[in-house]
Amino acid sequence: EVQLVESGGGLVQPGGSLRLSCAASGFTFSIYSMSWVRQAPGKGLEWVSYISSSSSAIYYADSVKGRFTISRDNAKNSLYLQMNSLRAEDTAVYYCARDNNWNYGDYWGQGTLVTVSS
Amino acid sequence: DIQMTQSPSSVSASVGDRVTITCRASQGISSWLAWYQQKPGKAPKLLIYAASSLQSGVPSRFSGSGSGTDFTLTISSLQPEDFATYYCQQANSFPHTFGQGTKVEIK
């Protein structure tokens, strides 16, 4: 069974940092590209970042470029999102998703809440 | 960036109704479009990918059509478990933008 479990969310002050993790199981993690998607409270989905299976291709939304860094460790079946210089508008539930061959999220984690507030 | 615009923003319907949701891209995206269903407090669920391909395990009452800039998600006979918010997403180019969502509510 495919499982994605996010962790690392919490309350952080503006300007602070947080590292999210996504532990994958039930599939061969190293052959799939992965993405992070977020959802602010009561709002719609916002695509955040993408990383290819070998980490050779990485993309970010303009809203997080220069502040967030996506990475993965295929040996540990894990995906990460390092978030720096956090702002109030980064407050959201962050989901990791496995991308199918068409780059659509076919499996999603349950999400982890990040709250940026003083 | 490609902008995705869904209509309507919300729709009220009854069980058994046929429901159609539209998604328009700001530029051509061929068939690089997916539809997701999201229920409150839950992660999104992939319904349709490549504009018209049904994801494994998704009921056949869901169907997708379109190419280029105009796309449609149709629920042929609305069931109680279909009341949710639906999002389109393009994967033609990064950033992989989502539409703003369409909430399907009980009439």
Side-chain angles (χ1 to χ4, degrees), chain B residues 35-75:
Chain B
W35 291 97
Y36 298 87
Q37 176 193 68
Q38 188 182 32
K39 296 181 179 179
K42 300 295 186 181
K45 173 186 176 183
L46 180 64
L47 300 176
I48 302 285
Y49 64 95
S52 60
S53 296
L54 193 67
Q55 174 69 1
S56 175
V58 174
S60 58
R61 63 181 179 273
F62 291 94
S63 64
S65 64
S67 67
T69 60
D70 294 311
F71 301 86
T72 298
L73 172 70
T74 299
I75 310 172

Side-chain angles (χ1 to χ4, degrees), chain A residues 4-36:
Chain A
L4 297 169
V5 180
E6 300 96 336
S7 61
L11 175 63
V12 60
Q13 292 188 338
S17 298
L18 216 52
R19 189 195 196 204
L20 305 184
S21 299
C22 172
S25 61
F27 66 101
T28 305
F29 179 74
S30 62
I31 66 172
Y32 285 89
S33 56
M34 300 290 294
S35 293
W36 287 98

Side-chain angles (χ1 to χ4, degrees), chain A residues 38-45 91-93 113, chain B residues 38 41 85 87 100 103:
Chain A
R38 69 184 181 183
Q39 187 168 37
K43 303 297 184 182
L45 301 172
T91 294
V93 173
L113 176 62
Chain B
Q38 188 182 32
T85 300
Y87 295 91
Q100 81 277 17
K103 187 173 184 179

